[in-house]
Amino acid sequence: MEESKGCLEPSCLLAHDLVNKVSVIIGCCDLLIEKAEPGSESAVRLWLVHDAAQLMAKRLNEHQCKLSEAIRQGVVKV
């Protein structure tokens, strides 16, 4: 089945928007980690959220790049 580029553009925009929102989570974690006692339960939990958010951002960026490339090519097979 083939999908036209018009069908992919909303997905690309959604991926971009999600990366922006995840970046806010990462930034907030960074600020809170600075205030947390190193090695405390709070610091450990903040690092877990931070690392999970970074992984999500990385995967979303990869997905967005693939979608953008498919849009540039005009058609993608799904």
Side-chain angles (χ1 to χ4, degrees), residues 22 25-26 29-30 33 40-56:
V22 170
I25 295 169
I26 293 168
C29 286
D30 287 340
I33 287 168
S40 68
E41 185 177 343
S42 295
V44 169
R45 289 178 186 221
L46 283 166
W47 276 113
L48 288 172
V49 173
H50 181 276
D51 292 346
Q54 276 193 321
L55 181 59
M56 288 171 49

Side-chain angles (χ1 to χ4, degrees), residues 4-5 7 9 11-13 17-20 23 25-26 30-31 33 35 37-38 42 54-55 62 66 68 71-72:
S4 69
K5 71 179 186 173
C7 294
E9 287 173 352
S11 296
C12 191
L13 291 173
D17 187 49
L18 290 172
V19 168
N20 287 342
S23 296
I25 295 169
I26 293 168
D30 287 340
L31 292 172
I33 287 168
K35 295 182 179 202
E37 184 71 31
S42 295
Q54 276 193 321
L55 181 59
E62 290 168 357
K66 289 177 186 177
S68 294
I71 290 169
R72 277 193 287 280

Side-chain angles (χ1 to χ4, degrees), residues 3-16 63-77:
E3 238 181 90
S4 69
K5 71 179 186 173
C7 294
L8 292 176
E9 287 173 352
S11 296
C12 191
L13 291 173
L14 175 62
H16 179 76
H63 185 68
Q64 183 183 7
C65 288
K66 289 177 186 177
L67 286 172
S68 294
E69 182 59 30
I71 290 169
R72 277 193 287 280
Q73 293 175 359
V75 176
V76 66
K77 293 185 180 185

